[in-house]
Amino acid sequence: MDFGVVLQTTPPAARVVELARVAETYGFSHVWTFDSHVLWEEPYVVHAAVLAATRKVVVGPMVTNPATREWSVTASTFATLNEMFGPRTICGIGRGDSAVRTLSGRPTTLAALRESVHVIRELANGRPVEHRGRTIRLPWASDPGPGYRTQVWVAAYGPKALRLAGEVADGFILQLADPDVAAWTIRSVREAAAQAGRDPLSVKVCVAAPAYVGGDSPQSLAHQREQCRWFGGMVGNHVADLVERYGSTGEVPAALTDYVEGRQGYDYNEHGRAGNTHAQFVPDEIVDRFCLLGSASEHLVRLRELQALGVDQFALYLQHDAKEQTLRAYGDVVLPAMADDVPALS
């Protein structure tokens, strides 16, 4: 299993770059950032600094969207970063949440998302593509060939978006770590891939969620829950859309949807922030299911369960008050325990 870290581009940018550098020294393979240009600093500028300060990590947004950024501009950004730093970028993309809603917009259609995946991937990898009624390409961007290409991974929750991910994406991003929900979504993605004539295992799976390594006492766990409760509120934005679209038809499991009944609104001024005031409707049970809390040994139990479901990468959100502590615990304990055991002698 690969491991990534998800950072907000909150000033100072140097702090974000340093966390990314430390994550690489602990063995993390991916550095992701939020993409919400009104709420935080421009991520792609920070990505360039992260790539300059590191040697191997793959960097990208979790997630961008097709609405606030013109698709050819997004592709050009990835191609430029690859030319400058080597092929070390990845594009996480979804229909849009905070980036569009802070500008009074709405998430894009799935049709637009599907088309954007194709356009961004082709252009970023130096190939021509039909876009806005004509064939275009980035003449200065070279095709990296079969050894590497910028991949586009789709974030999804609902049945139609999961089907889209299976049909066209290089990877699927699930932003919560509940094993029951993960099993349902991974199965949906892989079934869609098979029906589209693709190898289901060719679609990589990334589960992303807050991880807080702390104590196992009731007092410590209560503090960890309060530091991570914001995540249930953020996920609730997408779940509320699913409830509006699918209702109680059974197409979406109740394990994902039931908890938003108490949701009474959302303040994007506190988006992704520990201790925010609009996530109190999120019960402890959801925090425990969606996030990884407790000792490193407790994290390993959940990670092995996710790995058995077919998860290729776990990306941990670090929006809490134990960033360095959690990174260190993952580097010292979790990543070594999850690594393949290769004997020195045979």
Side-chain angles (χ1 to χ4, degrees), residues 176-330:
L176 56 84
D178 177 86
D180 291 337
V181 176
W184 170 70
T185 57
I186 293 169
R187 182 171 61 251
S188 298
V189 168
R190 290 188 169 158
E191 287 176 353
Q195 291 167 5
R198 307 177 70 194
D199 176 2
L201 296 181
S202 70
V203 184
K204 299 301 181 183
V205 177
C206 173
V207 163
Y212 191 124
V213 177
D216 288 330
S217 70
Q219 295 82 3
S220 178
L221 287 170
H223 176 75
Q224 294 171 51
R225 290 188 186 104
E226 290 309 312
Q227 286 288 301
C228 297
R229 198 176 304 276
W230 64 268
F231 184 69
M234 185 185 81
V235 172
N237 295 330
H238 305 282
V239 173
D241 288 345
L242 294 179
V243 172
E244 181 180 349
R245 186 174 301 113
Y246 294 100
S248 56
T249 61
E251 289 189 74
V252 181
L256 178 59
T257 60
D258 278 357
Y259 84 100
V260 299
E261 290 182 4
R263 184 176 181 268
Q264 296 181 341
Y266 194 86
D267 183 357
Y268 279 95
N269 288 305
E270 298 182 315
H271 186 61
R273 184 186 303 173
N276 65 40
T277 60
H278 55 255
Q280 294 310 308
F281 74 95
V282 180
D284 288 352
E285 177 202 2
I286 289 294
V287 182
D288 292 346
R289 283 172 41 204
F290 284 11
C291 307
L292 274 67
L293 310 177
S295 65
S297 61
E298 290 298 318
H299 288 235
L300 284 168
V301 171
R302 179 77 64 85
L303 289 168
R304 287 175 177 138
E305 189 172 2
L306 293 170
Q307 185 180 45
L309 293 173
V311 174
D312 299 287
Q313 179 184 155
F314 177 68
L316 59 96
Y317 283 85
L318 279 183
Q319 285 70 54
H320 52 59
D321 63 2
K323 296 178 179 65
E324 289 85 355
Q325 172 181 315
T326 296
L327 275 179
R328 184 169 59 252
Y330 265 69

Side-chain angles (χ1 to χ4, degrees), residues 29-52:
S29 61
H30 289 68
V31 173
W32 304 86
T33 72
F34 286 56
D35 176 10
S36 196
H37 61 286
V38 172
L39 298 179
W40 304 294
E41 292 182 325
E42 170 58 31
Y44 294 122
V45 177
V46 179
H47 289 177
V50 168
L51 289 164

Side-chain angles (χ1 to χ4, degrees), residues 35-40 63-69 94-109 237-238 241 268 271:
D35 176 10
S36 196
H37 61 286
V38 172
L39 298 179
W40 304 294
V63 294
T64 192
N65 69 85
T68 57
R69 300 182 185 275
R95 294 177 56 227
D97 180 32
S98 63
V100 294
R101 296 189 197 270
T102 52
L103 298 173
S104 301
R106 291 184 59 82
T108 64
T109 65
N237 295 330
H238 305 282
D241 288 345
Y268 279 95
H271 186 61

Side-chain angles (χ1 to χ4, degrees), residues 27-28 81 83-84 91 95 111 130 134-135 153 156 177 196-197 242 259 286 290 299 307 333 336 346:
F28 286 80
L81 292 172
E83 189 279 323
M84 293 174 65
C91 179
R95 294 177 56 227
E130 292 293 316
R134 67 188 310 170
T135 300
W153 292 23
L242 294 179
Y259 84 100
I286 289 294
F290 284 11
H299 288 235
Q307 185 180 45
V333 180
S346 60

Side-chain angles (χ1 to χ4, degrees), residues 95 110 113-114 154-169 172 189 192 242 245-246:
R95 294 177 56 227
L110 288 175
L113 177 59
R114 178 186 296 270
V154 170
Y157 292 105
K160 292 181 180 178
L162 294 169
R163 190 175 311 124
L164 184 156
E167 291 170 351
V168 304
F172 157 56
V189 168
L242 294 179
R245 186 174 301 113
Y246 294 100

